[in-house]
Amino acid sequence: MTEITRNRTIRPSTRLEKSKSYKIDTKTVSRGDILVVNIDHETKPFRKSYKFNGSDVAHKDSISFRVNDYGTSIDISWSGATPIGTVTSKSVTPATVTKPLTKKVADKVVSKPITADTKTSFDPISNADTTVLILGTMPGDKSLELGEYYGHPRNRFWKIISTITDNDLPQTYADKKALLLKTKIGIWDVAHKANRKGSLDSAIEDEAPNDLDSFIARHKNLKVIGFNGTKSQVFFDKYFDRKSGLKYISLPSTSPANTGIDFDNICKQWRQLLTK
């Protein structure tokens, strides 16, 4: 097994606001290799490293990551592959230090057994302008395979978002993420990690939550949180308290498994996200 390293530096001084995606060449990565991507920043004390299985990237010419810079912290969102783990994470900026779990979360989270069915969610897609956050439970198997939110071809999420925002249906994942940022919509999942066979929400076990309290505190313009399906709302209320000043909306799931509602009706309910 060979470890192949790629180093990239975030350089906002040389990139337009609309071009914050950085490509990683994977043409020479073989299935038995491990790809390590080290990311730092040209002016900030930021460094993170990610590992990828060669089998996940060997058939691709490249993968990419997008930078969401909040000033006091930086989020990295991957497209094309899912990291198998963070090697290092270091920053001397006080605001990026991990906060202790709130009592409600700490009381609910217990040590989780790691199994072959343990799955990990993606980084959020959002920026400082985000006013609406849509929460799912965690990515399904097809999404994990593609390294993309709502990657199953029969999931109606992207068609719904384009319809309710009066935009054309985006064809690439980069265009999908750009649509979210343009319309001030963010997406994430309640579960950071869980054991689950298959993709059904009902099969999720031993879940541990993402740090949604920190996300909410960081996004000063956030007004609405929408739950994509009942299970995401159940998980949220299990680990977090609802905050005054935010509007919470329960929405029918966009999952292919939800066949009980037609497209016009699901869009009608999802338009609640955009009402003032």
Side-chain angles (χ1 to χ4, degrees), residues 195-244:
N195 293 328
R196 185 193 61 202
K197 292 181 179 180
S199 299
L200 294 178
D201 284 351
S202 58
I204 295 175
E205 298 178 339
D206 303 317
E207 76 284 345
N210 278 311
D211 190 356
L212 286 165
D213 282 333
S214 291
F215 181 98
I216 293 169
R218 202 166 63 232
H219 290 75
K220 305 300 183 183
N221 293 312
L222 190 64
K223 304 296 182 186
V224 178
I225 292 180
F227 300 107
N228 187 353
T230 302
K231 197 71 171 183
S232 63
Q233 178 177 301
V234 169
F235 283 162
F236 183 90
D237 289 333
K238 178 179 179 180
Y239 293 104
F240 305 99
D241 294 318
R242 300 196 181 199
K243 301 183 184 302
S244 60

Side-chain angles (χ1 to χ4, degrees), residues 147-192:
E148 301 178 3
Y149 276 102
Y150 303 106
H152 195 290
R154 289 192 291 111
N155 193 298
R156 296 188 282 185
F157 178 84
W158 297 109
K159 186 176 181 181
I160 290 169
I161 295 299
S162 61
T163 299
I164 67 175
T165 60
D166 297 320
N167 283 277
D168 292 334
L169 180 65
Q171 298 303 309
T172 68
Y173 191 53
D175 289 341
K176 291 172 181 176
K177 293 189 290 185
L179 172 61
L180 292 176
L181 298 179
K182 180 178 100 171
T183 54
K184 300 181 180 181
I185 295 172
I187 57 176
W188 207 11
D189 289 308
V190 180
H192 166 63

Side-chain angles (χ1 to χ4, degrees), residues 38-86:
N38 300 314
I39 304 173
D40 60 13
H41 195 283
E42 64 179 349
T43 60
K44 296 183 178 182
F46 172 88
R47 180 179 175 82
K48 282 190 176 180
S49 298
Y50 299 87
K51 279 188 176 182
F52 299 85
N53 284 318
S55 57
D56 293 336
V57 300
H59 59 292
K60 304 174 185 290
D61 289 336
S62 65
I63 59 176
S64 63
F65 65 89
R66 183 175 179 83
V67 179
N68 294 314
D69 191 338
Y70 303 107
T72 57
S73 64
I74 294 173
D75 285 337
I76 302 296
S77 302
W78 285 96
S79 178
T82 303
I84 58 176
T86 301

